[in-house]
Amino acid sequence: MVLDNQTQNKTATGEKKAKLNVGVPRALYYYKFFPFWHEMLTRMGCDIVLSPPTNKKILEMGATFSSSELCVPVKLYFGHILWLLENKPNLDYIFVPRYVSLNKYHYFCPKFLALPDTVRNTVKPKIPVLEWEINAKKRANIESAIILGRKIGIEKEEAGKAYIYAINRFKQFQNLQRKGVLFHDAMHRMYPRLVKKKRKMRNKSGDEEIDKNYPITILVLGHPYNTYDPLINLNLAERLEKYHVNVIMLEQLPEETFKKRVTINRHFHNYWNMEEELLQGARHFLLDAKDEIDGVIFLISFACGPDSLIQELIMRDFKKMKIPFLDLILDEHSGESGMVTRIESFIDMIRRKKYRDLIETK
Amino acid sequence: MSKLQVSFPNMGNCWVAFKTLVESVPDIEVVLPPPVTRKTIELGAKYSPEFVCFPFKVNIGDFIQTYEQYGIDTFVNAIDCGPCRFGFYHAVQERILRDLGYDLKIIPLDQADLLNFNWVKTFDEFYKIMGVNDPFKKFFNTAGAAINFLRKAKITADFEKLEGYYRCRELSRGDTSRVLRQALQSLDEAKTPAEIRESRKKGIASFKKIPHDTEKDPLKVTLTGEIHVTLEPYVNLDLRKKLGDMGIEVHQNLSLIDWILHKFHVNFHRKELERKAEPFLKLDIGGEAQWVIGEYIESNQRGLDGFIHIYPFTCMPEVTARSIITAMDDPKIPAIFFSFDEHSGVEGMRTRLEAFIDLMEARKRKGSNIKPIKKYREQKSIIDHVIANHQNPIENILEPMGELVNIASTLNPLEVIGNIFSDNTSKTKPETKETIEY
Ligand code: SF4
Ligand code: SF4
């Protein structure tokens, strides 16, 4: 499985070989690391084939396939894999990264640790899985890139270069995000072929004038695959913008926010990667920038392990600081759960509170 | 000076070993939490985050009840930092309970990698509370405690194995449970190594005296899963007992000692299971996932009749293990899965269990069950295994020592001493309730 026919075609003289078609599911860490994967894999001579943005069909495929006790992002991941298998039969590989740790302090959620295994042993795809293990507890990240390269017949040096190139490009992407370009638009700018421009949501809000003149700012916390997948979060970012809410996402915060490790209490530090960023973001607003936000929306997937605990801590702290806090639980039935109403009344409540006098005297 | 009273959450029969460990600190007295009941679970579910895993909720219930009924405010809870939720338990639990107005503290017992000797910090914290400063006293106490802890944990596991063998064969219902209870009681009372050995011997002898059907050839199943629900009977609706009463021989490798030895890197059985599981799950993802998969493969190789996997609802590693096991190719032995939370009810479980037993019986009758592979064809029964171990006096002495030698040989003495002598807790910040810590 390590070498398939195509890679063996490579001639000793290094002649041009056919490009490998590598399928990437548009789910989970696509919403964080895709630019990185894209740059690295194309440098290694692969053509990226993305599954389409999540749609009802994909959601349904994923939900039917997986155990009901899984969180919806992982269900969606399976949905995207199944879509690729069904619709792109001439893929050479399906790319499934295994994120274990990015540095020696942190782990990813257990479901990320097992991702290639679960795909291989439960979906049992005919197309081989191209696994990329990122495990800083065990080896330097560049080394894992070299191992990945070896699997598709790329020389050590080339793979190393591809990795470094990808790092730099990924930084550019992150900088775009820090400047306030939301994920989707940033992606569209960098990869117009793969990511199409989004249609704007029409403004249906009744009280446009009030909304416009009384802006509020809301911090949206959550895993990127929840905050940026419009199907699963019911288009949250745009919905908020529609109500003239300034949205702050974690990815927009300056780099310094994420430098210092988070201490949970006298005994220990946090040890989850994604949660570290959530806590750091929360810390920034709790301690230094309390006045910059009017409220917090936390997106949490039903059955999410890490967040079931982290969200509890963050919620308690924001409540203590008297900053309004709304948690939205996402699952495959999100659409039906009156989430929109909850968002609307939350915004309404914040606006009334903030501009009490203004709105009343009007 | 009055004794400091300390407690820890319920986890089946593990209290015997934990008690020894914590009571090794002079002037500390362990007060056991009231047994888990409906009330515990209700309290836990009420104050815990909605979809945190079930053991967390049960712990919360335990803390509240022990605090309210016995006025205990110092608790120990084991932790394991990453990748799963377990390492976070104590921090979030303490936060929730303090916000509720319970003025208590939860001291974590770090067992992520026991060779790091982070667990020594827990003792340091106690010694600090108790004002013990003499490093030698600390060292010998801690070492002695660790040895007795290992012994008692091992013996508890042996007793539990015997329980699995005898209950399905006992002639008058309840004998096995009674013998087990008494054996544990006397193990708890044993303090010196000699007493501990003696209580083991007596315990095994009393199991052997249980009137039982020697001819019986019962169905044999493996029971495994997440450690808390597997070991705590109230939480798993007393599944082990139910199985025994239904005439099923329960094979359970999972126990506290099994886990602890693994954490000391000397659990060779687990290493074997890891090798078996590797093609399906490459690394430890927390919980028992990798070993559960290994156990499933091994149960197949042993030609057992069935496999039961239990875990808390939405438990991340176990759900992963479950989906992998379910998707394995035939032929394979029947497997059944139960997930537990505050809503689990006995009735649903019983119906599913009965159907499962029918299935196993039918397979056995038709002779279509899987034959053991060569390596396991000559397997000793559970009882022979435990008793052989017991009858051989040399092994009986060597065994616990062997474990320690094994452990000691992997250690770096300087590091150990460094860890024990360094005053880790002096950096502890005084706590104020109002700070937001990040
Ligand atoms: S972090 Fe939470 S949402 Fe993400 S994969 Fe893990 S359990 Fe699912
Ligand atoms: S293994 Fe399961 S029960 Fe234990 S912390 Fe992880 S999710 Fe919770």
Side-chain angles (χ1 to χ4, degrees):
Chain A
M1 206 175 62
V2 176
L3 291 176
D4 74 351
N5 294 336
Q6 294 229 15
T7 51
Q8 278 158 359
N9 280 344
K10 196 176 78 146
T11 55
T13 52
E15 257 175 57
K16 271 235 149 139
K17 49 180 175 163
K19 283 203 165 187
L20 291 174
N21 281 321
V22 176
V24 177
R26 196 188 291 244
L28 289 182
Y29 273 165
Y30 157 85
Y31 290 100
K32 189 172 175 71
F33 293 122
F34 180 75
F36 192 94
W37 304 338
H38 184 274
E39 301 300 330
M40 189 172 69
L41 289 171
T42 36
R43 269 275 157 139
M44 290 183 179
C46 304
D47 253 343
I48 304 285
V49 180
L50 255 181
S51 58
T54 310
N55 53 41
K56 284 258 154 59
K57 180 83 203 311
I58 291 181
L59 175 65
E60 201 189 293
M61 282 199 285
T64 328
F65 177 81
S66 9
S67 147
S68 59
E69 289 176 55
L70 283 175
C71 55
V72 73
V74 172
K75 289 182 183 169
L76 280 179
Y77 194 81
F78 287 126
H80 281 269
I81 296 251
L82 293 171
W83 187 94
L84 282 170
L85 293 174
E86 208 170 278
N87 296 286
K88 301 282 169 186
N90 45 15
L91 290 179
D92 297 303
Y93 285 109
I94 293 217
F95 179 69
V96 184
R98 186 198 293 276
Y99 279 96
V100 180
S101 54
L102 274 179
N103 57 46
K104 65 178 194 305
Y105 304 119
H106 295 147
Y107 277 109
F108 283 87
C109 156
K111 289 173 193 166
F112 284 98
L113 268 61
L115 205 51
D117 292 322
T118 33
V119 170
R120 222 179 267 135
N121 295 308
T122 67
V123 185
K124 302 187 182 170
K126 295 272 180 305
I127 300 163
V129 170
L130 180 58
E131 173 184 337
W132 184 35
E133 180 177 323
I134 302 95
N135 187 350
K137 289 179 194 265
K138 225 160 117 187
R139 61 178 83 82
N141 292 342
I142 188 161
E143 216 173 297
S144 45
I146 292 170
I147 296 174
L148 175 73
R150 200 181 306 141
K151 290 187 188 165
I152 50 175
I154 300 295
E155 298 295 331
K156 195 171 160 184
E157 256 120 82
E158 251 180 278
K161 275 191 205 144
Y163 173 80
I164 290 169
Y165 176 76
I167 286 205
N168 289 326
R169 289 282 288 174
F170 185 56
K171 281 202 184 121
Q172 288 173 15
F173 178 79
Q174 285 185 311
N175 284 337
L176 264 186
Q177 286 189 301
R178 288 205 180 101
K179 280 195 204 118
V181 185
L182 288 186
F183 177 82
H184 191 90
D185 303 324
M187 287 289 281
H188 173 66
R189 271 198 221 171
M190 279 180 79
Y191 310 105
R193 185 180 67 87
L194 290 169
V195 181
K196 300 276 171 293
K197 219 184 165 75
K198 240 193 310 196
R199 268 177 284 131
K200 276 267 168 269
M201 227 183 174
R202 265 180 302 128
N203 193 333
K204 284 190 268 167
S205 134
D207 271 331
E208 257 249 69
E209 273 315 298
I210 297 193
D211 289 357
K212 214 181 207 152
N213 294 331
Y214 303 110
I216 56 173
T217 306
I218 284 185
L219 169 68
V220 175
L221 290 175
H223 293 179
Y225 39 80
N226 285 335
T227 50
Y228 294 122
D229 185 336
L231 187 98
I232 205 63
N233 66 26
L234 304 177
N235 241 325
L236 181 68
E238 286 177 37
R239 198 173 290 277
L240 291 175
E241 268 166 17
K242 187 185 89 174
Y243 295 116
H244 299 279
V245 172
N246 297 321
V247 178
I248 301 185
M249 300 267 196
L250 275 185
E251 285 72 16
Q252 297 166 7
L253 300 179
E255 232 179 317
E256 301 84 70
T257 322
F258 305 103
K259 288 255 155 80
K260 210 174 116 226
R261 274 184 85 193
V262 169
T263 315
I264 300 292
N265 72 15
R266 65 195 187 283
H267 293 296
F268 92 133
H269 295 284
N270 162 53
Y271 54 79
W272 280 312
N273 186 285
M274 190 55 228
E275 277 58 31
E276 182 81 3
E277 283 172 27
L278 289 173
L279 286 162
Q280 284 164 327
R283 172 178 64 190
H284 172 72
F285 288 102
L286 283 164
L287 300 179
D288 308 328
K290 191 165 162 293
D291 302 329
E292 284 171 27
I293 50 168
D294 302 304
V296 182
I297 295 183
F298 196 117
L299 296 177
I300 173 170
S301 334
F302 174 77
C304 172
D307 280 0
S308 64
L309 295 166
I310 297 297
Q311 187 252 17
E312 186 76 16
L313 289 175
I314 292 183
M315 176 188 74
R316 282 167 187 269
D317 285 341
F318 277 111
K319 290 215 164 132
K320 197 183 269 176
M321 298 303 249
K322 308 241 167 1
I323 298 172
F325 185 95
L326 175 71
D327 56 337
L328 296 175
I329 300 173
L330 308 179
D331 64 14
E332 57 266 47
H333 315 295
S334 298
E336 303 142 31
S337 64
M339 222 165 86
V340 175
T341 338
R342 286 188 65 206
I343 299 172
E344 282 172 358
S345 50
F346 183 68
I347 296 171
D348 213 44
M349 182 268 288
I350 292 180
R351 194 166 265 135
R352 269 172 211 287
K353 197 175 132 214
K354 182 166 179 182
Y355 299 108
R356 191 176 297 134
D357 319 325
L358 291 172
I359 296 181
E360 268 164 17
T361 51
K362 216 170 134 255
Chain B
M1 191 171 135
S2 72
K3 289 199 166 192
L4 175 69
Q5 292 186 316
V6 175
S7 189
F8 42 75
N10 280 304
M11 189 158 94
N13 299 327
C14 301
W15 60 269
V16 181
F18 275 128
K19 194 171 161 208
T20 299
L21 189 66
V22 178
E23 282 192 342
S24 72
V25 183
D27 293 325
I28 284 197
E29 182 194 345
V30 166
V31 176
L32 295 175
V36 182
T37 58
R38 190 73 242 156
K39 183 87 197 301
T40 321
I41 292 177
E42 273 163 18
L43 280 171
K46 182 164 169 202
Y47 295 115
S48 305
E50 185 186 340
F51 40 80
V52 73
C53 31
F54 196 32
F56 183 100
K57 299 182 181 174
V58 184
N59 285 178
I60 288 266
D62 280 338
F63 291 135
I64 295 182
Q65 288 201 311
T66 317
Y67 184 94
E68 287 195 336
Q69 293 182 17
Y70 305 136
I72 308 289
D73 61 1
T74 311
F75 293 89
V76 186
N77 203 3
I79 67 168
D80 179 358
C81 286
C84 211
R85 286 182 258 199
F86 194 37
F88 253 95
Y89 272 24
H90 69 104
V92 182
Q93 285 165 342
E94 193 179 85
R95 177 72 193 268
I96 291 176
L97 293 170
R98 287 180 146 260
D99 281 359
L100 278 174
Y102 295 105
D103 187 14
L104 49 74
K105 63 167 163 289
I106 301 172
I107 300 176
L109 178 60
D110 189 351
Q111 37 134 358
D113 181 342
L114 294 177
L115 292 185
N116 282 343
F117 281 83
N118 275 339
W119 50 278
V120 172
K121 282 187 205 159
T122 308
F123 286 93
D124 257 358
E125 183 142 350
F126 277 126
Y127 286 125
K128 228 183 132 192
I129 299 174
M130 304 310 294
V132 178
N133 287 321
D134 179 356
F136 287 100
K137 197 166 175 188
K138 285 201 243 175
F139 180 85
F140 286 113
N141 266 330
T142 310
I147 293 173
N148 282 347
F149 169 75
L150 288 174
R151 281 221 178 89
K152 288 197 176 178
K154 172 80 171 69
I155 297 172
T156 309
D158 281 350
F159 287 167
E160 283 175 344
K161 288 211 166 101
L162 293 176
E163 175 200 359
Y165 179 89
Y166 280 107
R167 189 176 284 119
C168 60
R169 293 177 170 83
E170 69 188 6
L171 293 178
S172 79
R173 182 168 288 190
D175 276 358
T176 312
S177 306
R178 181 179 42 79
V179 167
L180 176 68
R181 209 166 35 242
Q182 285 162 356
L184 290 172
Q185 207 63 49
S186 88
L187 180 61
D188 175 46
E189 281 152 19
K191 299 289 177 239
T192 64
E195 283 168 16
I196 294 175
R197 255 198 309 280
E198 189 51 33
S199 84
R200 178 181 196 269
K201 216 191 256 169
K202 275 216 201 107
I204 292 179
S206 55
F207 270 108
K208 281 168 83 179
K209 273 194 236 119
I210 297 175
H212 65 286
D213 178 354
T214 43
E215 299 297 299
K216 185 167 178 169
D217 177 24
L219 290 169
K220 300 185 176 70
V221 301
T222 300
L223 175 65
T224 187
E226 191 276 333
I227 191 161
H228 183 271
V229 300
T230 310
L231 298 186
E232 173 51 48
Y234 194 89
V235 164
N236 62 38
L237 308 176
D238 220 352
L239 183 55
R240 282 159 58 81
K241 181 154 182 314
K242 284 208 175 66
L243 287 167
D245 289 346
M246 288 163 125
I248 312 279
E249 182 176 303
V250 179
H251 292 235
Q252 181 182 319
N253 288 317
L254 181 68
S255 62
L256 181 63
I257 189 72
D258 184 56
W259 176 250
I260 297 290
L261 291 182
H262 161 64
K263 286 300 182 183
F264 273 121
H265 304 279
V266 289
N267 190 328
F268 303 110
H269 180 235
R270 282 205 176 209
K271 291 207 163 94
E272 196 181 328
L273 294 178
E274 278 162 27
R275 271 194 301 280
K276 287 178 178 165
E278 216 198 277
F280 297 93
L281 184 59
K282 228 176 89 182
L283 41 92
D284 173 15
I285 58 167
E288 297 281 332
Q290 216 191 0
W291 303 287
V292 164
I293 294 176
E295 289 242 29
Y296 183 64
I297 297 169
E298 193 173 287
S299 308
N300 273 279
Q301 295 174 338
R302 284 184 188 278
L304 296 186
D305 299 297
F307 181 85
I308 304 182
H309 178 202
I310 59 182
Y311 59 88
F313 183 61
T314 73
C315 166
M316 301 185 280
E318 305 303 329
V319 173
T320 307
R322 173 185 177 163
S323 9
I324 290 177
I325 290 175
T326 325
M328 278 185 194
D329 296 325
D330 288 332
K332 54 184 186 183
I333 59 171
I336 191 168
F337 307 88
F338 293 102
S339 68
F340 294 95
D341 67 4
E342 62 271 27
H343 309 297
S344 336
V346 178
E347 272 320 304
M349 182 167 101
R350 183 173 289 278
T351 330
R352 286 184 56 211
L353 255 184
E354 277 163 5
F356 183 65
I357 292 172
D358 287 347
L359 172 70
M360 289 191 294
E361 258 162 9
R363 281 171 63 104
K364 190 167 176 179
R365 224 178 309 120
K366 276 192 282 176
S368 57
N369 46 359
I370 292 172
K371 303 285 169 291
I373 63 167
K374 196 154 156 244
K375 180 176 170 195
Y376 296 117
R377 220 159 282 158
E378 300 282 300
Q379 27 189 325
K380 275 193 243 166
S381 78
I382 309 180
I383 171 95
D384 291 343
H385 196 77
V386 174
I387 288 174
N389 210 332
H390 159 71
Q391 279 168 343
N392 179 343
I394 302 190
E395 215 178 292
N396 197 5
I397 299 167
L398 283 186
E399 192 196 37
M401 295 212 0
E403 272 151 22
L404 282 174
V405 172
N406 267 330
I407 294 165
S409 62
T410 50
L411 299 182
N412 171 359
L414 286 180
E415 208 177 287
V416 178
I417 305 231
N419 250 314
I420 293 174
F421 289 170
S422 72
D423 195 0
N424 288 321
T425 44
S426 63
K427 291 169 215 114
T428 308
K429 281 173 275 154
E431 245 180 310
T432 48
K433 240 180 164 182
E434 283 311 306
T435 49
I436 288 173
E437 297 189 64
Y438 274 97

